[in-house]
Amino acid sequence: MTPGKFIFKCTDCGQEYSCNDAKYLCPECSMDNNTSVPPRGVLKVIYDYKKISEILKDFSGLKKNNFIDLLPVDDISNMPPLRVGNTPLYQTEHINGNRLPFTLYLKDDSQNPTYSFKDRASALVSAYAKENNIGTIVTASTGNAGSSLAGICASQHQKAIIMVPEKAPMAKLIQIIMYGAIIVPVKGTYDEAFDLSIKATEEFGWYNRNTAFNPFTIEGKKSVSFELAEQLYFNIPDRIFVPVGDGVIISGVYKGFEDLLMLNLIDRMPVVVAVQSAKSDNLVRNIGRKKFEIVPSSTVADSISVDIPRNFFMTQQYLQHHGGETTTVTDEEIIEASAILSKNTGLFAEPAAATAFAGMLSYYKRGLIAKNSANVVLLTGSGLKDIKTLEKVLKMPESIYPTIENLKRIFS
Ligand SMILES: [Zn+2]
C-alpha cells in the first residue's frame, strides 16, 4: 500500500489510524463491544482529498483511473475480472397506467455478477486480500453477501468460507456451493453466525469480510454513488430510497457522495431515505434513542432481516448530519411492491430490494414526493434469489391438456 494513501477514522471517537494500525474496528471503541447491541468503532476510510483535487481536476480524471485514487488498493488489476458495478439506471414514467408526476429512476444492481449489490463490497475486499497475499476470506451472511463473496473469490482463485443461518433461502445456499466456497450452515440467527465468524478470524487468521466490521465493505459499496452521479449528469437526485438491514449499503451510498462533495465535484448531498420492513426495523426505530432496543426481526425480506444493525452508529450519523429520512413498510406492502415493480418495469427484484420500491410507493401515496422532483430507488438484488416467499402468495394456474378447446375456456 502506498504510505499515507488513506487513513481510517473511527465513527465514534474520531481517532485516526494509519492503514497499518487498524484493520477492522477501532481498537479503543470496540473494547467494550458485546453481542447484544450494535458495535462501536466502525472505521471510515479517509483520503487526502486536497491532494487528489490538485492532481485530478474533474470526474473524468478519476474515472479514467477506475477510481483507484479513491480506493484503498494500489493496483486496479487486483480487482476481480468480472464486471462489478456499472449497472443500468432506468427511468420509469408510468405505474399501473398512471403517469408519475415526478421522475423515477431505478438502479438495477441485480445485474452484478452474483445478482446482488453485495458484489461491490466483495470485489474490493477480494482485491485488498489479493494485493496483500491473503488467500482465505470468511464472512457471515444472510445469503447475498455469502454468495457474492463465494462468486468473487471463485473468479480470483481465493478460498471463501461462508457462515449462514441454516434458514437462508435455498437459491443463495446453492449459489455458494456452486461457486466452490466452503459453506457452514449455523443453527441460529445471522447475528450468531456473525459472531462466530469473528471468533474464527481470531482463531484461524482468516481475512474477514463481515459487513461494517471490515471497513472496506462500506468503501466498496460507495461506487454506486459515483455511477449515479455520472448517470444523472451530476444533477444530484432529490431522494434516493435504499433498503436497510445492517446499514452498510446506505452508508456506502452516503460515502460515495461525500467523497465527491469533498472533491467539489458535486455541490450538495441527496436526501437518502432508509427503508426497512416494519418487521425488521431495528435500525430506523432506534435512531435518536438513548438506549438501543432490539425487537426480533421476522420479515419476508431475508436480506434485511437483522436484529443488531452492524453499522447502526455510522448510519445514524449520516442520516442526522445530512437530513436523511426513515420509513417502514409492511411485509404485505413489500410483496405488493414487488409485483407492481415486475409488472410495470420488467425488473424482478427480491423482497429486500422491493422494500425500497415499497418505501417510494408509500411516499408517493402520502403525497411526500414533490412534483418534478428526481427520485432513485436502489434495487439491490434479483428476485430469482428468493422465490419461496412469492410461491406462498402467487396462484399458479392448473395445467391443461393441450387442446384449443381448453385454451378457449381460459380466454373466453
Ligand atoms: Zn474509536
Side-chain angles (χ1 to χ4, degrees):
M1 178 63 56
T2 308
K5 184 178 183 186
F6 72 91
I7 56 160
F8 290 117
K9 188 173 183 183
C10 174
T11 308
D12 290 295
C13 71
Q15 177 74 38
E16 295 179 353
Y17 297 95
S18 81
C19 57
N20 298 321
D21 292 337
K23 201 174 189 181
Y24 300 117
L25 301 176
C26 166
E28 290 289 319
C29 293
S30 62
M31 258 192 305
D32 298 327
N33 280 347
N34 63 63
T35 53
S36 58
V37 287
R40 290 283 184 178
V42 173
L43 298 177
K44 194 192 272 191
V45 179
I46 310 281
Y47 301 88
D48 188 341
Y49 296 104
K50 195 164 166 269
K51 196 169 144 200
I52 297 172
S53 295
E54 280 164 11
I55 303 165
L56 301 159
K57 300 287 178 220
D58 55 18
F59 187 85
S60 62
L62 281 170
K63 197 185 172 191
K64 206 171 81 190
N65 297 334
N66 296 300
F67 301 100
I68 191 75
D69 302 274
L70 290 172
L71 292 173
V73 289
D74 277 339
D75 187 349
I76 208 74
S77 71
N78 288 316
M79 293 294 270
L82 303 173
R83 191 218 62 189
V84 176
N86 291 315
T87 55
L89 184 72
Y90 300 112
Q91 190 179 343
T92 295
E93 292 181 349
H94 296 87
I95 289 181
N96 294 344
N98 299 318
R99 193 177 173 84
L100 295 172
F102 51 84
T103 309
L104 179 61
Y105 297 102
L106 304 166
K107 180 73 169 159
D108 183 15
D109 252 56
S110 71
Q111 298 303 306
N112 276 301
T114 75
Y115 317 106
S116 90
F117 190 98
K118 304 288 166 89
D119 289 339
R120 296 178 185 272
S122 298
L124 183 59
V125 168
S126 166
Y128 179 84
K130 196 172 172 188
E131 196 159 292
N132 292 278
N133 299 311
I134 304 166
T136 303
I137 310 176
V138 63
T139 196
S141 167
T142 56
N144 276 341
S147 52
S148 167
L149 183 66
I152 296 293
C153 281
S155 80
Q156 296 259 66
H157 310 292
Q158 293 166 320
K159 192 168 166 186
I161 299 167
I162 317 293
M163 300 181 180
V164 286
E166 60 179 345
K167 291 192 181 113
M170 191 51 75
K172 296 177 185 180
L173 301 182
I174 288 173
Q175 240 189 320
I176 292 169
I177 296 168
M178 287 306 290
Y179 289 134
I182 298 173
I183 188 167
V184 183
V186 173
K187 287 188 194 302
T189 62
Y190 163 62
D191 298 284
E192 287 166 309
F194 197 102
D195 295 331
L196 180 63
S197 78
I198 292 174
K199 284 181 193 147
T201 291
E202 288 162 7
E203 181 74 22
F204 305 114
W206 301 330
Y207 188 44
N208 194 304
R209 182 223 177 271
N210 277 10
T211 202
F213 181 70
N214 186 325
F216 298 153
T217 51
I218 302 159
E219 203 56 16
K221 290 177 179 181
K222 74 180 182 182
S223 58
V224 71
S225 304
F226 299 165
E227 291 168 27
L228 280 173
E230 190 184 25
Q231 286 169 321
L232 295 170
Y233 304 99
F234 299 90
N235 296 312
I236 298 308
D238 296 291
R239 278 201 182 85
I240 304 178
F241 293 86
V242 181
V244 171
D246 271 314
V248 173
I249 290 181
I250 192 168
S251 296
V253 170
Y254 269 123
K255 178 59 165 49
F257 284 112
E258 196 175 59
D259 276 0
L260 297 179
L261 195 67
M262 294 298 289
L263 295 171
N264 293 317
L265 295 174
I266 56 172
D267 55 8
R268 68 179 172 101
M269 295 287 280
V271 172
V272 181
V273 186
V275 190
Q276 287 206 293
S277 160
K279 284 186 171 173
S280 174
D281 65 346
N282 285 306
L283 192 144
V284 302
R285 187 170 25 77
N286 281 293
I287 298 282
R289 279 195 183 177
K290 276 217 170 76
K291 193 174 177 306
F292 193 90
E293 279 175 11
I294 300 168
V295 175
S297 47
S298 60
T299 174
V300 294
D302 67 283
S303 300
I304 50 170
S305 184
V306 169
D307 287 352
I308 304 165
R310 301 289 165 163
N311 205 28
F312 174 75
F313 293 107
M314 186 190 283
T315 306
Q316 177 173 257
Q317 250 179 38
Y318 269 131
L319 288 167
Q320 290 179 337
H321 189 70
H322 295 295
E325 297 172 358
T326 61
T327 193
T328 58
V329 287
T330 65
D331 275 16
E332 291 70 31
E333 285 176 305
I334 293 170
I335 291 169
E336 191 191 358
S338 178
I340 293 172
L341 177 70
S342 300
K343 284 173 193 165
N344 283 278
T345 66
L347 300 173
F348 181 27
E350 72 168 326
T355 302
F357 193 72
M360 183 280 299
L361 288 177
S362 163
Y363 262 58
Y364 179 25
K365 270 185 216 153
R366 289 184 279 154
L368 298 175
I369 304 184
K371 209 175 158 192
N372 300 325
S373 62
N375 303 272
V376 175
V377 174
L378 211 54
L379 300 175
T380 45
S382 163
L384 291 176
K385 277 176 165 275
D386 184 10
I387 52 172
K388 218 173 177 180
T389 304
L390 300 173
E391 271 175 12
K392 289 177 214 151
V393 292
L394 293 181
K395 201 167 168 277
M396 191 64 69
E398 280 185 24
S399 52
I400 56 161
Y401 286 101
T403 66
I404 202 73
E405 284 71 31
N406 280 335
L407 268 188
K408 279 180 183 166
R409 212 168 298 136
I410 292 172
F411 292 101
S412 62

PDB file of all heavy atoms in Angstrom, residues 10 68 106 187 193 216 340 411:
ATOM      1  N   CYS A  10     -12.266   6.649  13.175  1.00  0.00           N
ATOM      2  CA  CYS A  10     -13.317   5.979  13.939  1.00  0.00           C
ATOM      3  C   CYS A  10     -14.603   6.805  13.913  1.00  0.00           C
ATOM      4  O   CYS A  10     -14.583   8.010  14.170  1.00  0.00           O
ATOM      5  CB  CYS A  10     -12.857   5.750  15.370  1.00  0.00           C
ATOM      6  SG  CYS A  10     -14.177   5.096  16.403  1.00  0.00           S
ATOM      7  N   ILE A  68      -9.149   4.534  -8.825  1.00  0.00           N
ATOM      8  CA  ILE A  68      -8.117   3.969  -7.945  1.00  0.00           C
ATOM      9  C   ILE A  68      -7.673   4.985  -6.882  1.00  0.00           C
ATOM     10  O   ILE A  68      -7.288   4.612  -5.776  1.00  0.00           O
ATOM     11  CB  ILE A  68      -6.901   3.461  -8.788  1.00  0.00           C
ATOM     12  CG1 ILE A  68      -5.948   2.628  -7.931  1.00  0.00           C
ATOM     13  CG2 ILE A  68      -6.143   4.607  -9.443  1.00  0.00           C
ATOM     14  CD1 ILE A  68      -6.431   1.260  -7.626  1.00  0.00           C
ATOM     15  N   LEU A 106     -34.602   3.780 -11.584  1.00  0.00           N
ATOM     16  CA  LEU A 106     -34.372   2.514 -10.891  1.00  0.00           C
ATOM     17  C   LEU A 106     -32.953   2.052 -11.191  1.00  0.00           C
ATOM     18  O   LEU A 106     -32.593   1.849 -12.351  1.00  0.00           O
ATOM     19  CB  LEU A 106     -35.384   1.470 -11.374  1.00  0.00           C
ATOM     20  CG  LEU A 106     -36.854   1.883 -11.214  1.00  0.00           C
ATOM     21  CD1 LEU A 106     -37.758   0.964 -12.025  1.00  0.00           C
ATOM     22  CD2 LEU A 106     -37.261   1.888  -9.743  1.00  0.00           C
ATOM     23  N   LYS A 187     -26.796 -23.258  13.100  1.00  0.00           N
ATOM     24  CA  LYS A 187     -28.091 -23.361  13.800  1.00  0.00           C
ATOM     25  C   LYS A 187     -28.245 -22.112  14.646  1.00  0.00           C
ATOM     26  O   LYS A 187     -27.744 -22.034  15.766  1.00  0.00           O
ATOM     27  CB  LYS A 187     -28.122 -24.609  14.668  1.00  0.00           C
ATOM     28  CG  LYS A 187     -28.243 -25.894  13.876  1.00  0.00           C
ATOM     29  CD  LYS A 187     -28.458 -27.082  14.796  1.00  0.00           C
ATOM     30  CE  LYS A 187     -28.252 -28.383  14.058  1.00  0.00           C
ATOM     31  NZ  LYS A 187     -29.124 -28.567  12.892  1.00  0.00           N
ATOM     32  N   ALA A 193     -24.222 -16.213  13.562  1.00  0.00           N
ATOM     33  CA  ALA A 193     -23.230 -16.575  12.539  1.00  0.00           C
ATOM     34  C   ALA A 193     -22.152 -15.488  12.454  1.00  0.00           C
ATOM     35  O   ALA A 193     -20.961 -15.776  12.291  1.00  0.00           O
ATOM     36  CB  ALA A 193     -23.916 -16.746  11.182  1.00  0.00           C
ATOM     37  N   PHE A 216     -13.858  -1.924   4.493  1.00  0.00           N
ATOM     38  CA  PHE A 216     -13.851  -1.886   3.026  1.00  0.00           C
ATOM     39  C   PHE A 216     -15.192  -2.318   2.433  1.00  0.00           C
ATOM     40  O   PHE A 216     -15.422  -2.145   1.236  1.00  0.00           O
ATOM     41  CB  PHE A 216     -12.709  -2.733   2.471  1.00  0.00           C
ATOM     42  CG  PHE A 216     -11.345  -2.234   2.882  1.00  0.00           C
ATOM     43  CD1 PHE A 216     -10.264  -3.106   2.967  1.00  0.00           C
ATOM     44  CD2 PHE A 216     -11.142  -0.897   3.192  1.00  0.00           C
ATOM     45  CE1 PHE A 216      -9.010  -2.651   3.354  1.00  0.00           C
ATOM     46  CE2 PHE A 216      -9.888  -0.424   3.584  1.00  0.00           C
ATOM     47  CZ  PHE A 216      -8.827  -1.308   3.664  1.00  0.00           C
ATOM     48  N   ILE A 340     -45.840  -4.954  -8.362  1.00  0.00           N
ATOM     49  CA  ILE A 340     -46.014  -3.706  -9.132  1.00  0.00           C
ATOM     50  C   ILE A 340     -44.751  -3.403  -9.934  1.00  0.00           C
ATOM     51  O   ILE A 340     -44.798  -3.058 -11.118  1.00  0.00           O
ATOM     52  CB  ILE A 340     -46.357  -2.519  -8.179  1.00  0.00           C
ATOM     53  CG1 ILE A 340     -47.736  -2.735  -7.544  1.00  0.00           C
ATOM     54  CG2 ILE A 340     -46.310  -1.177  -8.924  1.00  0.00           C
ATOM     55  CD1 ILE A 340     -48.079  -1.736  -6.442  1.00  0.00           C
ATOM     56  N   PHE A 411     -59.664 -18.327 -22.182  1.00  0.00           N
ATOM     57  CA  PHE A 411     -59.698 -16.958 -22.703  1.00  0.00           C
ATOM     58  C   PHE A 411     -61.099 -16.477 -23.076  1.00  0.00           C
ATOM     59  O   PHE A 411     -61.245 -15.403 -23.636  1.00  0.00           O
ATOM     60  CB  PHE A 411     -58.753 -16.828 -23.888  1.00  0.00           C
ATOM     61  CG  PHE A 411     -57.312 -16.941 -23.485  1.00  0.00           C
ATOM     62  CD1 PHE A 411     -56.595 -18.121 -23.677  1.00  0.00           C
ATOM     63  CD2 PHE A 411     -56.675 -15.876 -22.848  1.00  0.00           C
ATOM     64  CE1 PHE A 411     -55.280 -18.238 -23.276  1.00  0.00           C
ATOM     65  CE2 PHE A 411     -55.366 -15.986 -22.437  1.00  0.00           C
ATOM     66  CZ  PHE A 411     -54.666 -17.166 -22.652  1.00  0.00           C
TER      67      PHE A 411
END
